[in-house]
Amino acid sequence: MALSTFSIPAHKPTSNFSSSYFSFGPVLPCPYQHKLFNQVKKRPIGICASLAESGEYHSQRPPTPLLDTINYPIHMKNLSLKELKQLADELRSDVIFNVSKTGGHLGSSLGVVELTVALHYVFNAPQDRILWDVGHQSYPHKILTGRRDKMHTMRQTNGLAGFTKRSESEYDCFGTGHSSTTISAGLGMAVGRDLKGKNNHVVAVIGDGAMTAGQAYEAMNNAGYLDSDMIIILNDNKQVSLPTANLDGPIPPVGALSSALSKLQSNRPLRELREVAKGVTKQIGGSVHELAAKVDEYARGMISGSGSTLFEELGLYYIGPVDGHNVDDLIAILQEVKTTQTTGPVLIHLITEKGRGYPYAEKAADKYHGVAKFDPATGKQFKSTASTQSYTTYFAEALIAEAEADKDIVAIHAAMGGGTGMNLFLRRFPTRCFDVGIAEQHAVTFAAGLACEGLKPFCAIYSSFLQRAYDQVVHDVDLQKLPVRFAMDRAGLVGADGPTHCGAFDVTFMACLPNMVVMAPSDEAELFHMVATAAAIDDRPSCFRYPRGNGIGVELPTGNKGTPLEVGKGRILIEGERVALLGYGSAVQTCLAAATLVEPLGLRLTVADARFCKPLDHALIRKLAKSHEFLITVEEGSIGGFGSHVVQFLALDGLLDGKLKWRPLVLPDRYIDHGAPADQLADAGLTPCHVAATVFNILGQTREALERPDINMAE
């Protein structure tokens, strides 16, 4: 196969990237080169204004006459290029309108509208596999694949998921609620295709920060070795750290990868040479124009060839950078890559703008990554007001207070500065906060290294995201007994984000580790105290979990400075009789509410706050076991968590050898779909009414006793 390197003039985009050319790495044959060169032609600088740029967004649903005729991708196949561009405009308007009514991920979906149109025009899904990473970029994809009439249910109970979901549609060939997995999955699909003798295409879209995780590079390395045909589309929107509500506006992308991609996007010698080529073209004109372009093409290969070496050395054929908002070029390139008989993986590097086509998103990409319901005409979000702040904010304030008093405290997060509250910490301590990108494995071992040097690292990572770094937690932290502190946000059910972000398993997988201190606050004041406790534990690792949502309104410690708790000691909140409720974390509030429900029936329950799952408060558990007939443990976590540790102790201590009856209330052994938090708790059987019903059942009564004030449960 002949090898060549060249670049082709492309339409100059209006978004913030300098290069208007894209280059091709050394794999495809020369006929491919000439055919594609003839298809992708120079166009005048600038593009037609979109609806948003024309100021035509209103609060009412916009007219979408062409989109109204498209129910599935097959309906797009006969559209002209002009119509495809119109379809992209209407699709963007529809995304904006729908998200304005439901909330959700806006900016990332707006950035892939043209790509989505081009992919579904060129390829034949679902036979051809199209994977989206991260899955929150898939709203336009959902609209074009038979789900437009359900977009108003997005992220709601019994509605569409906010990410791709295999059980939702045959067009969602892989679920991607987390990040950086589609190259691995796509490679598996490509190899599976080859083993079964099929000939469909596999396209893995990866971007919006997903390229920063190590798994993406592991997959590219393996893809280059296996050499199966697949297409990887790098959606480069200069987003390496997700802009989850940063207080001070967008933060520059994190890491060397961002710098490398930026160098590919903007190359001063190339731009200068391009201007020379333009001058030659103007002076000589005519047939010499193509020759001048060729000079530019080969020069591009010599000047910036090292920029694409990262991908080419992994065995990928590199095409780029390409304007990801130019429908003509996208279709031309995708059609060529699809039809050319090549061997091996191809990477197409697209440059896109997050929030493209909606001025409010373009100007404030940090605020429009994920949005509440909003007015499309003004961009104003309808955020509900609350008398208390989120647990995330309370955690950040508590950590700042500890860091004020201890210069060794540092914070680490994995591309989630807003989501974890670490943007607040960064603003106060800019040299003591580390955003490592979407790289949880690295975050944990990086924190372990900091601990080795006498610093006090707090790793702020969502409960479900910490699953991605479990080996590092075990081997690099717990086994070596290093004092890394894990702040696990989004513990328990998380509402609209559903099972991909549900923090169901952290108690189970953290409390089984021999050296780990495991705790959970029952309210925001307790969270302040547990941050102080974690800061004080300096001889072993520790972790604490806290839920999504706002505090309950209890009084906070003076100056936001918590008081370290005695490790392994819980507390009794209500002294009662017969039945004891032993709650862990946010479930303590459920226990208190259940006690209030049954009190009018003459039954006073004991309610205790365990505080710690490891080490357990053995004295507290013995007291409850010996002074009550029934013990019910309550937690918003999976089987194998807090309740399992309690019953393990009860059994070994002989406390189950008598008359004590124990019942565990945990999340059911299944995944709970997205929906309103109240609906999820009801589905899980963890509402105060469910706890009260368990009390009635264990006492030999029925749940209907709640509605019969004549029954005295104490008798």
Side-chain angles (χ1 to χ4, degrees), residues 173-217:
C173 60
F174 200 74
T176 47
H178 286 188
S179 168
S180 317
T181 58
T182 53
I183 301 177
S184 296
L187 178 60
M189 292 176 184
V191 171
R193 171 203 61 203
D194 296 343
L195 291 175
K196 286 183 171 289
K198 298 179 180 179
N199 61 359
N200 60 288
H201 299 276
V202 177
V203 183
V205 180
I206 182 168
D208 204 36
M211 203 64 158
T212 57
Q215 182 177 351
Y217 295 90

Short mmCIF file of all heavy atoms in Angstrom, two decimals, residues 173-217:
data_model
loop_
_atom_site.label_atom_id
_atom_site.label_comp_id
_atom_site.label_asym_id
_atom_site.label_seq_id
_atom_site.Cartn_x
_atom_site.Cartn_y
_atom_site.Cartn_z
N CYS A 173 -26.31 1.11 20.98
CA CYS A 173 -25.64 -0.20 21.01
C CYS A 173 -24.77 -0.39 22.24
O CYS A 173 -24.34 -1.51 22.52
CB CYS A 173 -24.82 -0.40 19.74
SG CYS A 173 -23.52 0.82 19.48
N PHE A 174 -24.52 0.68 22.99
CA PHE A 174 -23.73 0.54 24.21
C PHE A 174 -24.08 1.67 25.17
O PHE A 174 -24.22 2.82 24.76
CB PHE A 174 -22.23 0.59 23.89
CG PHE A 174 -21.37 0.00 24.98
CD1 PHE A 174 -21.30 -1.38 25.16
CD2 PHE A 174 -20.63 0.81 25.82
CE1 PHE A 174 -20.51 -1.93 26.16
CE2 PHE A 174 -19.84 0.26 26.83
CZ PHE A 174 -19.78 -1.11 26.99
N GLY A 175 -24.26 1.33 26.44
CA GLY A 175 -24.57 2.32 27.45
C GLY A 175 -23.31 3.03 27.94
O GLY A 175 -22.32 2.38 28.27
N THR A 176 -23.36 4.37 27.97
CA THR A 176 -22.17 5.14 28.37
C THR A 176 -22.58 6.28 29.28
O THR A 176 -22.70 7.42 28.86
CB THR A 176 -21.45 5.71 27.13
OG1 THR A 176 -22.42 6.32 26.26
CG2 THR A 176 -20.72 4.63 26.37
N GLY A 177 -22.79 5.96 30.55
CA GLY A 177 -23.09 6.99 31.53
C GLY A 177 -21.85 7.54 32.19
O GLY A 177 -21.87 8.63 32.74
N HIS A 178 -20.77 6.75 32.14
CA HIS A 178 -19.51 7.23 32.68
C HIS A 178 -18.66 7.75 31.52
O HIS A 178 -19.13 8.53 30.72
CB HIS A 178 -18.83 6.13 33.48
CG HIS A 178 -19.48 5.88 34.81
ND1 HIS A 178 -18.96 5.06 35.77
CD2 HIS A 178 -20.63 6.37 35.33
CE1 HIS A 178 -19.75 5.05 36.83
NE2 HIS A 178 -20.77 5.83 36.57
N SER A 179 -17.45 7.31 31.36
CA SER A 179 -16.59 7.97 30.39
C SER A 179 -15.51 7.04 29.88
O SER A 179 -15.07 6.12 30.58
CB SER A 179 -15.95 9.20 31.05
OG SER A 179 -14.90 9.72 30.26
N SER A 180 -15.07 7.31 28.62
CA SER A 180 -13.83 6.77 28.07
C SER A 180 -13.89 5.27 27.78
O SER A 180 -12.86 4.59 27.80
CB SER A 180 -12.66 7.05 29.03
OG SER A 180 -12.73 8.37 29.53
N THR A 181 -15.08 4.76 27.46
CA THR A 181 -15.25 3.33 27.27
C THR A 181 -15.55 2.92 25.84
O THR A 181 -15.46 1.73 25.51
CB THR A 181 -16.41 2.83 28.16
OG1 THR A 181 -17.61 3.55 27.82
CG2 THR A 181 -16.10 3.04 29.63
N THR A 182 -15.90 3.86 24.97
CA THR A 182 -16.41 3.45 23.66
C THR A 182 -15.35 2.88 22.73
O THR A 182 -15.68 2.05 21.87
CB THR A 182 -17.09 4.63 22.93
OG1 THR A 182 -16.20 5.73 22.88
CG2 THR A 182 -18.37 5.02 23.60
N ILE A 183 -14.10 3.28 22.88
CA ILE A 183 -13.08 2.69 22.00
C ILE A 183 -12.90 1.22 22.36
O ILE A 183 -12.80 0.35 21.49
CB ILE A 183 -11.76 3.47 22.10
CG1 ILE A 183 -11.96 4.93 21.72
CG2 ILE A 183 -10.70 2.84 21.18
CD1 ILE A 183 -10.72 5.79 21.85
N SER A 184 -12.89 0.93 23.65
CA SER A 184 -12.79 -0.47 24.09
C SER A 184 -13.99 -1.27 23.60
O SER A 184 -13.84 -2.36 23.02
CB SER A 184 -12.72 -0.54 25.62
OG SER A 184 -11.56 0.08 26.12
N ALA A 185 -15.19 -0.75 23.85
CA ALA A 185 -16.40 -1.47 23.45
C ALA A 185 -16.49 -1.58 21.93
O ALA A 185 -16.86 -2.64 21.39
CB ALA A 185 -17.63 -0.77 24.01
N GLY A 186 -16.16 -0.47 21.25
CA GLY A 186 -16.21 -0.49 19.79
C GLY A 186 -15.23 -1.49 19.20
O GLY A 186 -15.54 -2.18 18.22
N LEU A 187 -14.04 -1.58 19.79
CA LEU A 187 -13.06 -2.55 19.31
C LEU A 187 -13.58 -3.96 19.51
O LEU A 187 -13.42 -4.83 18.64
CB LEU A 187 -11.73 -2.35 20.04
CG LEU A 187 -10.61 -3.33 19.67
CD1 LEU A 187 -10.28 -3.22 18.18
CD2 LEU A 187 -9.37 -3.06 20.52
N GLY A 188 -14.22 -4.20 20.66
CA GLY A 188 -14.80 -5.52 20.88
C GLY A 188 -15.86 -5.84 19.85
O GLY A 188 -15.95 -6.98 19.35
N MET A 189 -16.68 -4.84 19.50
CA MET A 189 -17.71 -5.05 18.48
C MET A 189 -17.08 -5.31 17.11
O MET A 189 -17.57 -6.13 16.33
CB MET A 189 -18.63 -3.83 18.41
CG MET A 189 -19.49 -3.66 19.65
SD MET A 189 -20.48 -2.14 19.56
CE MET A 189 -21.26 -2.16 21.19
N ALA A 190 -16.00 -4.60 16.81
CA ALA A 190 -15.33 -4.78 15.51
C ALA A 190 -14.71 -6.17 15.41
O ALA A 190 -14.82 -6.84 14.37
CB ALA A 190 -14.27 -3.69 15.33
N VAL A 191 -14.05 -6.60 16.47
CA VAL A 191 -13.45 -7.94 16.45
C VAL A 191 -14.54 -9.00 16.41
O VAL A 191 -14.43 -10.00 15.69
CB VAL A 191 -12.54 -8.12 17.68
CG1 VAL A 191 -12.07 -9.57 17.80
CG2 VAL A 191 -11.33 -7.19 17.59
N GLY A 192 -15.63 -8.78 17.18
CA GLY A 192 -16.74 -9.72 17.13
C GLY A 192 -17.35 -9.81 15.75
O GLY A 192 -17.72 -10.90 15.27
N ARG A 193 -17.46 -8.67 15.09
CA ARG A 193 -17.95 -8.64 13.70
C ARG A 193 -17.07 -9.49 12.80
O ARG A 193 -17.55 -10.30 12.00
CB ARG A 193 -17.97 -7.20 13.20
CG ARG A 193 -18.24 -7.02 11.72
CD ARG A 193 -17.70 -5.68 11.25
NE ARG A 193 -16.26 -5.59 11.43
CZ ARG A 193 -15.58 -4.44 11.53
NH1 ARG A 193 -16.22 -3.28 11.47
NH2 ARG A 193 -14.27 -4.45 11.68
N ASP A 194 -15.75 -9.31 12.93
CA ASP A 194 -14.81 -10.05 12.08
C ASP A 194 -14.88 -11.55 12.34
O ASP A 194 -14.85 -12.36 11.40
CB ASP A 194 -13.39 -9.54 12.32
CG ASP A 194 -13.22 -8.08 11.93
OD1 ASP A 194 -14.07 -7.55 11.19
OD2 ASP A 194 -12.23 -7.46 12.39
N LEU A 195 -14.99 -11.93 13.60
CA LEU A 195 -15.05 -13.35 13.95
C LEU A 195 -16.32 -14.00 13.41
O LEU A 195 -16.33 -15.19 13.08
CB LEU A 195 -14.96 -13.53 15.46
CG LEU A 195 -13.61 -13.19 16.11
CD1 LEU A 195 -13.70 -13.29 17.63
CD2 LEU A 195 -12.52 -14.13 15.59
N LYS A 196 -17.39 -13.22 13.31
CA LYS A 196 -18.66 -13.74 12.81
C LYS A 196 -18.82 -13.55 11.30
O LYS A 196 -19.86 -13.91 10.73
CB LYS A 196 -19.82 -13.08 13.55
CG LYS A 196 -20.00 -13.59 14.98
CD LYS A 196 -21.20 -12.95 15.65
CE LYS A 196 -21.50 -13.61 16.99
NZ LYS A 196 -22.04 -14.98 16.85
N GLY A 197 -17.81 -12.96 10.67
CA GLY A 197 -17.85 -12.80 9.23
C GLY A 197 -18.83 -11.76 8.73
O GLY A 197 -19.30 -11.83 7.59
N LYS A 198 -19.12 -10.76 9.54
CA LYS A 198 -20.02 -9.69 9.13
C LYS A 198 -19.23 -8.55 8.52
O LYS A 198 -17.99 -8.52 8.57
CB LYS A 198 -20.83 -9.20 10.33
CG LYS A 198 -21.72 -10.27 10.97
CD LYS A 198 -22.47 -9.70 12.18
CE LYS A 198 -23.36 -10.76 12.81
NZ LYS A 198 -24.09 -10.24 14.00
N ASN A 199 -19.92 -7.56 7.96
CA ASN A 199 -19.22 -6.45 7.30
C ASN A 199 -19.75 -5.08 7.69
O ASN A 199 -19.60 -4.12 6.94
CB ASN A 199 -19.27 -6.62 5.78
CG ASN A 199 -20.70 -6.61 5.26
OD1 ASN A 199 -21.66 -6.49 6.03
ND2 ASN A 199 -20.85 -6.73 3.94
N ASN A 200 -20.42 -4.97 8.84
CA ASN A 200 -20.94 -3.67 9.27
C ASN A 200 -19.81 -2.78 9.78
O ASN A 200 -18.69 -3.25 10.08
CB ASN A 200 -22.00 -3.85 10.36
CG ASN A 200 -21.45 -4.55 11.58
OD1 ASN A 200 -21.19 -5.76 11.55
ND2 ASN A 200 -21.26 -3.82 12.66
N HIS A 201 -20.11 -1.50 9.92
CA HIS A 201 -19.13 -0.53 10.39
C HIS A 201 -19.32 -0.27 11.89
O HIS A 201 -20.41 -0.42 12.43
CB HIS A 201 -19.26 0.78 9.63
CG HIS A 201 -19.02 0.64 8.15
ND1 HIS A 201 -17.77 0.67 7.59
CD2 HIS A 201 -19.90 0.45 7.12
CE1 HIS A 201 -17.87 0.52 6.28
NE2 HIS A 201 -19.15 0.37 5.98
N VAL A 202 -18.22 0.11 12.53
CA VAL A 202 -18.25 0.47 13.95
C VAL A 202 -17.65 1.86 14.09
O VAL A 202 -16.52 2.11 13.64
CB VAL A 202 -17.47 -0.53 14.81
CG1 VAL A 202 -17.46 -0.07 16.27
CG2 VAL A 202 -18.07 -1.92 14.70
N VAL A 203 -18.43 2.78 14.67
CA VAL A 203 -17.99 4.17 14.86
C VAL A 203 -18.06 4.50 16.34
O VAL A 203 -19.13 4.45 16.95
CB VAL A 203 -18.86 5.16 14.07
CG1 VAL A 203 -18.33 6.58 14.23
CG2 VAL A 203 -18.93 4.76 12.60
N ALA A 204 -16.94 4.83 16.93
CA ALA A 204 -16.88 5.20 18.35
C ALA A 204 -16.60 6.69 18.46
O ALA A 204 -15.52 7.16 18.10
CB ALA A 204 -15.80 4.40 19.07
N VAL A 205 -17.58 7.44 18.95
CA VAL A 205 -17.41 8.88 19.19
C VAL A 205 -16.94 9.06 20.62
O VAL A 205 -17.57 8.57 21.56
CB VAL A 205 -18.73 9.65 18.97
CG1 VAL A 205 -18.52 11.14 19.22
CG2 VAL A 205 -19.27 9.40 17.57
N ILE A 206 -15.85 9.78 20.80
CA ILE A 206 -15.33 10.01 22.14
C ILE A 206 -14.93 11.48 22.27
O ILE A 206 -14.32 12.05 21.38
CB ILE A 206 -14.13 9.08 22.45
CG1 ILE A 206 -13.62 9.28 23.88
CG2 ILE A 206 -13.01 9.25 21.43
CD1 ILE A 206 -12.64 8.21 24.34
N GLY A 207 -15.34 12.10 23.38
CA GLY A 207 -15.01 13.51 23.55
C GLY A 207 -15.61 14.09 24.80
O GLY A 207 -16.05 13.37 25.69
N ASP A 208 -15.65 15.41 24.87
CA ASP A 208 -16.13 16.14 26.04
C ASP A 208 -15.37 15.70 27.28
O ASP A 208 -15.95 15.48 28.34
CB ASP A 208 -17.64 15.96 26.23
CG ASP A 208 -18.24 17.11 27.03
OD1 ASP A 208 -17.78 18.25 26.84
OD2 ASP A 208 -19.15 16.88 27.83
N GLY A 209 -14.06 15.57 27.13
CA GLY A 209 -13.21 15.21 28.26
C GLY A 209 -12.90 13.73 28.35
O GLY A 209 -12.01 13.33 29.10
N ALA A 210 -13.62 12.88 27.61
CA ALA A 210 -13.48 11.44 27.78
C ALA A 210 -12.12 10.92 27.32
O ALA A 210 -11.74 9.80 27.66
CB ALA A 210 -14.60 10.72 27.02
N MET A 211 -11.38 11.72 26.54
CA MET A 211 -10.09 11.25 26.02
C MET A 211 -8.99 11.33 27.09
O MET A 211 -7.85 10.96 26.82
CB MET A 211 -9.71 12.08 24.79
CG MET A 211 -8.74 11.38 23.86
SD MET A 211 -9.45 9.88 23.13
CE MET A 211 -8.42 9.70 21.70
N THR A 212 -9.30 11.81 28.27
CA THR A 212 -8.25 11.95 29.29
C THR A 212 -8.06 10.71 30.13
O THR A 212 -7.09 10.62 30.88
CB THR A 212 -8.58 13.12 30.24
OG1 THR A 212 -9.86 12.90 30.84
CG2 THR A 212 -8.59 14.44 29.50
N ALA A 213 -8.96 9.75 30.06
CA ALA A 213 -8.85 8.56 30.89
C ALA A 213 -7.93 7.54 30.25
O ALA A 213 -7.90 7.37 29.03
CB ALA A 213 -10.22 7.96 31.15
N GLY A 214 -7.21 6.82 31.08
CA GLY A 214 -6.24 5.84 30.59
C GLY A 214 -6.85 4.75 29.74
O GLY A 214 -6.20 4.23 28.83
N GLN A 215 -8.09 4.38 30.01
CA GLN A 215 -8.71 3.29 29.26
C GLN A 215 -8.77 3.62 27.77
O GLN A 215 -8.65 2.72 26.93
CB GLN A 215 -10.10 2.99 29.80
CG GLN A 215 -10.77 1.81 29.07
CD GLN A 215 -12.12 1.45 29.64
OE1 GLN A 215 -12.52 1.96 30.68
NE2 GLN A 215 -12.84 0.57 28.96
N ALA A 216 -8.97 4.88 27.44
CA ALA A 216 -9.03 5.25 26.03
C ALA A 216 -7.72 4.94 25.33
O ALA A 216 -7.70 4.46 24.18
CB ALA A 216 -9.36 6.74 25.90
N TYR A 217 -6.60 5.15 26.01
CA TYR A 217 -5.29 4.90 25.41
C TYR A 217 -4.96 3.42 25.40
O TYR A 217 -4.32 2.91 24.47
CB TYR A 217 -4.22 5.72 26.13
CG TYR A 217 -4.48 7.19 25.93
CD1 TYR A 217 -5.29 7.90 26.81
CD2 TYR A 217 -4.01 7.85 24.81
CE1 TYR A 217 -5.59 9.22 26.60
CE2 TYR A 217 -4.29 9.18 24.58
CZ TYR A 217 -5.09 9.86 25.48
OH TYR A 217 -5.41 11.17 25.26
#
